[in-house]
Amino acid sequence: MSISPKVSILMPVYNSEKYLAQAVESILNQTFTDFELIIVNDGSTDKSLEILKSLAIKDKRICLMSQENKGIAVTRNRMLQKAQGDLIAVMDSDDIALPQRIAYQVEFLDNNPNTVCVGGAFELVDEKGRLLTCLHPATDNQKIQESMLKGHTCIHHACVMYRRISALKVGNYAESFTTVGDLDFFSQIR
C-alpha cells in the first residue's frame, strides 16, 4: 500500500523541447518534496517525449504518460483524474518555478483551510530569460471574482495551487473551449 503525496503537480506537454528540461528540473528542485509530478506528453512531434523519458528515469516522483494529441483541456482532465494529492499545482512546460513555490503555497493552504485556490505574481521573460514585466494579479477574493466576471483571468496556471476535492466538484475543464478554459474552471471552483 502506497501513501499518497501531499501535492500532485500537473504538467501538460506539447512540443516544448526548448524549455522542457528546465521546467521539469525547477519542480524536481523544489524545497517541498512530498509531491508527484504527473506529465502527459500530448502528441509532441519534437524531442519532448525523449527528454521526458530521460528525466523520468532519474526521479521516481515523475509519472509520465503519452497520448495522441487531444488538446489542453482533455490532457488537464486526464491528469486531474490521475492525481492522488490533496493539493493540485499546475506547471506548464515552458514555465520555471521558483524553488519555494510549492512550499509557500502548501503552507498558505494549510494555514487557511477555507481557501480553495491560491495563485500569485509572476514574471514574464523573453526567450533569453530577460525580464519583460512582473504581473501582480488581484489578491483578495472580491477583486478576483469581479475581475473574472469581466472575463479577466487573475489565477494563472503558471502559479496556481488548488484543493483537489474542490476541483473534482467542478468536474472537468470544459473540453469545448479552445481558450479561456482556465477562466471557466477557476470561476466555478469553490
Side-chain angles (χ1 to χ4, degrees):
M1 180 165 130
S2 65
I3 298 172
S4 296
K6 173 88 172 177
V7 179
S8 294
I9 302 170
L10 314 181
M11 181 183 286
V13 174
Y14 180 73
N15 289 345
S16 302
E17 69 181 359
K18 186 172 184 177
Y19 306 105
L20 187 54
Q22 191 176 8
V24 172
E25 288 167 3
S26 77
I27 291 298
L28 298 179
N29 293 324
Q30 290 291 300
T31 59
F32 183 90
T33 60
D34 184 17
F35 65 81
E36 64 179 346
L37 175 55
I38 300 171
I39 303 174
V40 173
N41 175 55
D42 188 31
S44 295
T45 56
D46 64 1
K47 294 185 180 183
S48 291
L49 184 56
E50 184 180 317
I51 293 165
L52 291 170
K53 285 179 179 178
S54 70
L55 291 166
I57 290 170
K58 297 175 187 175
D59 198 305
K60 64 180 176 154
R61 295 173 295 178
I62 296 175
C63 172
L64 176 60
M65 299 176 283
S66 194
Q67 65 189 22
E68 291 180 17
N69 184 261
K70 296 181 187 263
I72 193 71
V74 171
T75 303
R76 287 193 200 283
N77 289 336
R78 182 176 182 196
M79 291 184 295
L80 187 56
Q81 294 305 314
K82 176 82 173 157
Q84 297 297 308
D86 290 335
L87 301 174
I88 305 292
V90 180
M91 178 71 181
D92 286 335
S93 58
D94 62 347
D95 294 333
I96 305 301
L98 295 175
Q100 293 182 301
R101 172 199 167 182
I102 302 300
Y104 287 147
Q105 292 179 319
V106 168
E107 179 181 12
F108 184 87
L109 289 171
D110 282 350
N111 291 332
N112 296 277
N114 293 325
T115 300
V116 297
C117 181
V118 64
F122 59 96
E123 297 175 346
L124 295 177
V125 298
D126 67 12
E127 289 184 2
K128 294 182 180 180
R130 295 177 297 205
L131 178 64
L132 298 174
T133 189
C134 186
L135 300 175
H136 296 275
T139 57
D140 69 85
N141 189 53
Q142 182 177 342
K143 288 183 181 176
I144 291 170
Q145 297 300 326
E146 289 171 3
S147 184
M148 291 177 84
L149 286 172
K150 294 176 184 174
H152 303 287
T153 303
C154 291
I155 303 165
H156 299 275
H157 279 118
C159 52
V160 71
M161 182 179 284
Y162 52 85
R163 298 186 193 281
R164 183 169 61 105
I165 194 164
S166 298
L168 293 176
K169 289 177 186 175
V170 171
N172 286 315
Y173 286 87
E175 294 177 3
S176 59
F177 291 144
T178 55
T179 60
V180 302
D182 54 347
L183 177 62
D184 175 67
F185 184 79
F186 293 128
S187 67
Q188 296 181 63
I189 203 166
R190 304 274 182 266

